[in-house]
Amino acid sequence: MMGGRTAKRGRAWRFLLDILYPRKCPVCDRIIMPKGALICPPCRGRISFIREPRCKKCGKALMFEEKEYCENCNGQERRFMYGLALMEYDSVARKILADLKYHGKRDNADYVAAEMALRLGDEIRRVKPDVLIPVPVHPRRRRLRGFNQAELLAKGLGERMDIPVRTEALIRVRNTRPQKELGSLGRLNNLLEAFTVRRWDPRWKTVWLVDDIYTTGSTVEACTRILLTAGAKRVYVVCAAIGKDR
Ligand SMILES: [Zn+2]
Ligand SMILES: [Zn+2]
């Protein structure tokens, strides 16, 4: 009930904002026509939405039907159940997410969350999630940027799907050393020390972790392991964008 009222107020507010500051397209930056849309239709056609065949673990698009897992997931231990991703991390997706993250274009999160709800909503709901948890950034980074992009995505998704979002459950306590020179195990160990659970409700059994970009998967894997230790039973991962299978 509360969620509905907040959502309604959000929409009324959005309507006013749209009149004062017409929405700009996340792809071409021009004012969106038709009014009320979150992206211009031709630009939407430029996004590479993930389609089948997909990696059964991380959700990455695969080149061949015969493969079950992508090269990155093959032979790796993954504790999360599986992942879903909205779009391929190509130049269009990169622009949408970089404008959000580095240029504060929050409308982009709104568009991406709406598209996630539309395209992945059924799959997200199918596992009967108790809660959505965004991958946290370090509080210092959050202060500097003014927001955490994964949190904006989780909130947009949660509001649209009526699933609670808990941003205080998982926190980032440490910024990690540069990860590039580390192998996957080193990367994971490094990350396991970066996150911790702050507040946990034992009723949270099925969780969707929400993040913006899935690269090696080490971040969500580390978060998954920490949530499982805290008492989650099943952790799933949903990301806005994911790389290509090699
Ligand atoms: Zn456009
Ligand atoms: Zn994979």
Side-chain angles (χ1 to χ4, degrees), residues 213-228:
I213 305 160
Y214 183 108
T215 41
T216 62
S218 329
T219 305
V220 286
E221 179 60 23
C223 292
T224 298
R225 292 187 185 197
I226 288 162
L227 296 180
L228 291 173

Side-chain angles (χ1 to χ4, degrees), residues 45-130:
R46 292 178 55 200
I47 296 176
S48 313
F49 294 111
I50 302 286
R51 287 170 218 284
E52 298 288 348
R54 296 178 300 184
C55 169
K56 289 195 167 47
K57 205 66 200 182
C58 71
K60 189 177 288 179
L62 297 174
M63 304 267 262
F64 309 103
E65 202 79 58
E66 307 77 63
K67 274 175 94 174
E68 257 190 305
Y69 301 106
C70 71
E71 287 304 307
N72 183 240
C73 287
N74 235 332
Q76 289 250 34
E77 198 189 344
R78 303 274 198 221
R79 301 272 175 86
F80 57 84
M81 305 294 285
Y82 61 80
L84 295 175
L86 176 69
M87 52 192 175
E88 194 176 289
Y89 193 47
D90 58 11
S91 60
V92 180
R94 193 171 297 127
K95 183 202 180 292
I96 297 174
L97 296 173
D99 282 351
L100 163 64
K101 194 162 166 179
Y102 303 110
H103 308 294
K105 211 175 158 204
R106 294 180 191 217
D107 281 355
N108 289 10
D110 198 36
Y111 162 66
V112 172
E115 200 76 85
M116 279 169 139
L118 186 72
R119 290 177 180 261
L120 308 173
D122 287 346
E123 281 179 277
I124 292 171
R125 220 188 292 278
R126 192 174 302 148
V127 304
K128 301 190 169 50
D130 298 306

Side-chain angles (χ1 to χ4, degrees), residues 25 27-29 40 43:
C25 173
V27 176
C28 71
D29 293 321
C40 25
C43 288

Side-chain angles (χ1 to χ4, degrees), residues 164-211:
V165 179
R166 291 292 172 262
T167 55
E168 73 288 358
L170 186 66
I171 56 165
R172 186 152 188 154
V173 284
R174 218 189 276 181
N175 268 323
T176 41
R177 289 176 284 143
Q179 299 266 55
K180 280 221 171 74
E181 62 266 29
L182 296 169
S184 66
L185 201 62
R187 212 157 29 214
L188 183 63
N189 285 330
N190 205 13
L191 281 161
L192 283 171
E193 294 171 10
F195 300 99
T196 191
V197 161
R198 188 164 68 178
R199 220 165 284 160
W200 192 258
D201 184 328
R203 286 170 300 180
W204 299 340
K205 299 291 182 209
T206 306
V207 177
W208 278 96
L209 259 175
V210 183
D211 206 1

